[in-house]
Amino acid sequence: MSAHDANAPAHPTDPTMLDKGLTKREYIAAIALAATDASATAQERAKQAVELTDALFKALHG
């Protein structure tokens, strides 16, 4: 698992806990949710957050 892996743990602190908690992708999507259209449905907002997250990873790591 590389440092650029979107599915790597967002905040690993203990080598025995690397498979616990949120992935980087889940963590960024949760933050991106704040930038979504507040008038959209929950499902639409979730989709927007994931699309923003994937766009960020693509821009950063092509």
Side-chain angles (χ1 to χ4, degrees):
M1 187 177 314
S2 79
H4 301 304
D5 183 356
N7 295 312
H11 299 287
T13 57
D14 180 340
T16 64
M17 302 283 288
L18 291 179
D19 61 343
K20 309 287 187 235
L22 297 173
T23 66
K24 291 177 182 181
R25 187 169 184 251
E26 291 166 336
Y27 181 73
I28 298 301
I31 294 168
L33 195 57
T36 61
D37 180 2
S39 66
T41 68
Q43 290 297 322
E44 291 168 335
R45 292 185 74 193
K47 184 177 178 182
Q48 291 171 9
V50 170
E51 288 171 351
L52 286 167
T53 300
D54 290 344
L56 174 65
F57 275 101
K58 184 176 180 180
L60 291 173
H61 309 294

